[in-house]
């Protein structure tokens, strides 16, 4: 399955008597790092009650890896899919976040890596700020290959902003570049436009000169969306999304629909999309879309995609393109990240964050504060 391809396997807890040997044989960091670290995660799938406080061995460090002291972790829907069982988990315990930021405490030990132009292109330095998107980040320290999904943060992007922007920002940017390249004059429909991904999609579409139509549930959320540049907001609980979208697009429908809701909105998307339009179904907030017969696409010759950011931003070249592009949008103020809330680094804090996210209560990003900024 696509989402299992780059699943970072968190090693099961070792017995403490094994840890000193484990660290001294595979790393040179034994003296300066704790034998065990705090984490919050799961040992089995289920309701939010399976989220627990964990104590894990300090991660094994390979010669090609950075060691990062985590300051912030981002909360994402994928955490809830992994916790609930919608997506598979291949190894437990799993610290239950897939996004973090912090400070590099160790560079790779492999000299050939350090001397390579590819490594130098990444801008990593000891003490430097980074943000990363990889499984198992809700712990005090993480390790990640230097050529993995990890990015140096520029001076003007804090670690708090980095963790808030990375996963949803890369998702929005890659989808508006590759799923459908949004351009001036397009009508773009974005469901859950006041959500984390939705607000970023909307702002990027505005930088391209598109007209943005968004759906949301409440007038309060609609105000957030308008404050982030959305041209028309449809309150789907009190008005017909299909009728309003057709009215706003002169009966034609939008060139592209970005849909992170999934099951509840898919059939209406087919009614609204423009002939030869592109339907990007990229999430399951209301549940997964059931299998779709190909003949459904014939009615308007539409393109249907079910992408994941992990397959758009997978190579070093793609990372070196999309990371800096995202940070430029943040630094210029063209994309502003709305941070909905910060939650404590405890099982209780993470359970609450997941309940708020899946309960549809949030506008923008939820963060876990793992350690103070330095
Ligand atoms: N494919 C990828 O690579 C990728 C990457 C990141 C995220 N995603 C997907 O993008 C979607 C949005 O993620 P996000 O983190 O930005 O979340 P979010 O949009 O901030 O939060 C989800 C929103 O979905 C709406 N919603 C509609 N029906 C819902 C239901 N039955 N239950 C819960 N919420 C419902 C709610 O907004 P309203 O009140 O406005 O309806 C809710 O606030 C998710 O499906 C996520 O899996 C995909």
């Amino acid at each position: 399955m696509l989402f299992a391809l780059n699943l970072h396997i968190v090693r099961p807890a070792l017995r403490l008597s094994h840890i000193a040997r484990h660290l001294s044989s595979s790393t040179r960091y034994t003296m300066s790092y704790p034998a065990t670290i705090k984490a919050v995660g799961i040992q089995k799938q289920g309701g939010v009650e399976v989220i627990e406080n964990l104590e894990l061995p300090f991660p094994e460090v390979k010669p090609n890896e950075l060691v990062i002291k985590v300051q912030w972790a981002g909360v994402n829907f994928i955490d809830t899919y992994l916790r609930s069982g919608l997506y598979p988990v291949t190894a437990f315990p799993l610290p239950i976040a897939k996004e973090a930021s912090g400070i590099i405490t160790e560079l790779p030990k492999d000299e050939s890596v350090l001397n390579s132009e590819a490594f130098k292109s990444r801008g990593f330095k000891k003490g430097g700020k980074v943000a990363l998107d990889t499984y198992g980040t809700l712990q005090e320290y993480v390790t990640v290959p230097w050529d993995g999904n990890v990015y140096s943060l520029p001076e003007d992007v804090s670690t708090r902003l980095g963790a808030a922007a990375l996963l949803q920002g890369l998702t929005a940017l890659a989808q508006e570049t590759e799923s459908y390249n949004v351009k001036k004059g397009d009508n773009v429909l974005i469901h859950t436009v006041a959500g984390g991904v939705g607000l970023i999609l909307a702002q990027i579409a505005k930088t391209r000169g598109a007209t943005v139509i968004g759906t949301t549930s409440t007038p309060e959320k609609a105000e957030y969306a308008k404050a982030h540049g959305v041209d028309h907001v449809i309150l789907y609980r009190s008005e017909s999304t299909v009728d309003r979208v057709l009215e706003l697009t002169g009966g034609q429908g939008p060139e592209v629909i970005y849909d992170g809701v999934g099951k509840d909105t898919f059939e209406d998307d087919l009614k609204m999309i423009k002939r030869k339009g592109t339907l990007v179904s990229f999430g399951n907030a209301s549940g997964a879309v059931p299998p779709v017969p190909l003949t459904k696409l014939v009615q308007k010759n539409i393109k249907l995609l079910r992408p994941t950011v992990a397959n758009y931003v997978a190579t070093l070249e793609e990372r070196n393109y999309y990371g800096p592009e995202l940070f430029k949008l943040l630094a210029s103020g063209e994309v502003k990240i709305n941070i909905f809330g910060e939650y404590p680094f405890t099982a209780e804090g993470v359970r609450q964050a997941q309940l708020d996210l899946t309960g549809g209560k949030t506008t923008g990003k939820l963060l876990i504060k793992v350690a103070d900024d330095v």
Side-chain angles (χ1 to χ4, degrees), residues 129-151:
K129 296 178 290 178
V130 285
L132 64 156
D133 169 359
T134 187
Y135 289 90
T137 56
L138 194 46
Q139 48 184 332
E140 290 176 296
Y141 286 88
V142 290
T143 59
V144 62
W146 67 272
D147 55 353
N149 211 4
V150 53
Y151 302 84

Side-chain angles (χ1 to χ4, degrees), residues 249 305 364:
T249 57
L305 291 94

Side-chain angles (χ1 to χ4, degrees), residues 75-78 81 87 167-168 171 175 192-198 215-218 221 236-237 260-261 264 282-287 306-310 357-364:
V75 179
N76 290 286
F77 250 90
I78 192 163
Y81 304 151
Y87 287 3
L167 192 153
Q168 294 173 339
T171 301
Q175 286 183 357
T192 70
V193 73
V197 179
T215 67
T216 193
S217 56
T218 68
K221 286 189 173 189
Y236 64 81
R237 283 187 184 154
V261 176
D264 288 357
F282 68 96
N284 323 292
S286 67
R306 198 340 181 159
T308 170
V309 63
L357 186 63
T358 54
K361 292 185 182 159
T362 63
T363 44

Side-chain angles (χ1 to χ4, degrees), residues 26-182:
S26 58
T27 75
R28 291 186 228 154
Y29 321 128
T30 316
M31 301 312 291
S32 49
Y33 293 96
T36 62
I37 57 173
K38 282 190 215 153
V40 176
I42 57 171
Q43 313 229 45
K44 61 180 180 187
Q45 292 178 306
V48 287
E49 67 283 353
V50 300
I51 298 170
E52 55 180 296
N53 295 313
L54 301 169
E55 190 171 354
L56 300 178
F58 192 89
E60 181 185 2
V61 188
K62 299 194 184 77
N64 68 333
E65 288 182 329
L66 304 168
V67 180
I68 294 156
K69 185 169 191 321
V70 176
Q71 294 178 338
W72 298 93
V75 179
N76 290 286
F77 250 90
I78 192 163
D79 310 339
T80 72
Y81 304 151
L82 290 163
R83 189 258 304 148
S84 69
L86 181 63
Y87 287 3
V89 170
T90 54
F92 293 104
L94 176 67
I96 197 71
K98 194 183 167 283
E99 180 178 38
S101 65
I103 300 297
I104 298 176
T105 59
E106 302 292 342
L107 294 174
K109 294 295 168 196
D110 184 336
E111 290 291 332
S112 64
V113 164
L114 293 174
N115 293 327
S116 69
E117 288 309 312
F119 177 77
K120 290 176 192 164
S121 76
R122 309 230 61 202
F124 296 133
K125 60 177 195 285
K126 213 163 163 174
K129 296 178 290 178
V130 285
L132 64 156
D133 169 359
T134 187
Y135 289 90
T137 56
L138 194 46
Q139 48 184 332
E140 290 176 296
Y141 286 88
V142 290
T143 59
V144 62
W146 67 272
D147 55 353
N149 211 4
V150 53
Y151 302 84
S152 291
L153 294 174
E155 267 312 297
D156 44 14
V157 176
S158 67
T159 50
R160 182 172 181 267
L161 180 57
L166 188 71
L167 192 153
Q168 294 173 339
L170 291 179
T171 301
L173 189 55
Q175 286 183 357
E176 291 190 316
T177 307
E178 297 198 51
S179 299
Y180 176 84
N181 193 9
V182 173

